[in-house]
Amino acid sequence: TGVHDIGGLEEEFGPIDLREHGYQLWEMQVHATLVLLAQRGLLTTDELRRSVEALPGHTSMSYYHRWAAGMTAICIERGTVSAADLNIAHGEPELSVGQQSLVACQVVRVRREDSRVRWRKPHLRTPGYLFG
């Protein structure tokens, strides 16, 4: 069993939302990347599960954020891509783990999410409820 084995705990975690919903472009790209990595033998389902569960704060990430961060971790771990290559392609991360950028009750302005912007581990996207 693992952290995601929550069957029968609906009272604690709430009901599962079974409604259909559309996907953003970046979510479809993450899914396609997973398929390609798996087809080429560069990633397995078990590795993805292990890497997702090892992410700090993974329970607060969206489904595809977890996949993207987990796939990145596996690719770095296997040597498929290096952290240096990612930084060259997408720029240095703005914050390191443990750095605090905001304080409680601070007023912030939320920018619209751009699907072309690269995510980082640990990654926190703007929660959808902020956009209505």
Side-chain angles (χ1 to χ4, degrees), residues 69-128:
M71 287 187 297
T72 301
I74 292 166
C75 287
I76 291 171
E77 182 180 294
R78 282 181 163 226
T80 305
V81 66
S82 71
D85 291 336
L86 289 175
N87 290 339
I88 290 169
H90 300 288
E92 293 288 330
E94 292 180 16
L95 294 175
S96 296
V97 174
Q99 284 183 312
Q100 184 175 348
S101 62
L102 301 173
V103 295
C105 300
Q106 180 178 347
V107 176
V108 297
R109 183 183 336 185
V110 179
R111 292 186 298 179
R112 273 261 176 233
E113 182 177 300
D114 182 344
S115 63
R116 297 170 296 164
V117 175
R118 159 137 168 217
W119 40 266
R120 291 280 179 182
K121 177 187 137 185
H123 174 71
L124 302 174
R125 287 266 186 193
T126 304

Side-chain angles (χ1 to χ4, degrees), residues 9-109:
L9 300 176
E10 288 81 8
E11 288 184 26
E12 185 174 342
F13 292 99
I16 297 172
D17 182 2
L18 300 174
R19 294 176 293 175
E20 289 291 325
H21 65 281
Y23 295 96
Q24 294 182 18
L25 175 62
W26 74 269
E27 293 171 318
M28 292 185 284
Q29 291 170 330
V30 167
H31 196 122
T33 301
L34 174 66
V35 170
L36 290 172
L37 289 170
Q39 284 177 342
R40 295 189 173 141
L42 299 172
L43 173 138
T44 67
T45 304
D46 292 331
E47 284 178 309
L48 182 60
R49 184 180 301 112
R50 176 189 50 81
S51 67
V52 164
E53 290 179 359
L55 292 170
H58 76 277
T59 56
S60 64
M61 294 176 168
S62 75
Y63 187 72
Y64 285 104
H65 287 133
R66 287 181 230 157
W67 277 23
M71 287 187 297
T72 301
I74 292 166
C75 287
I76 291 171
E77 182 180 294
R78 282 181 163 226
T80 305
V81 66
S82 71
D85 291 336
L86 289 175
N87 290 339
I88 290 169
H90 300 288
E92 293 288 330
E94 292 180 16
L95 294 175
S96 296
V97 174
Q99 284 183 312
Q100 184 175 348
S101 62
L102 301 173
V103 295
C105 300
Q106 180 178 347
V107 176
V108 297
R109 183 183 336 185

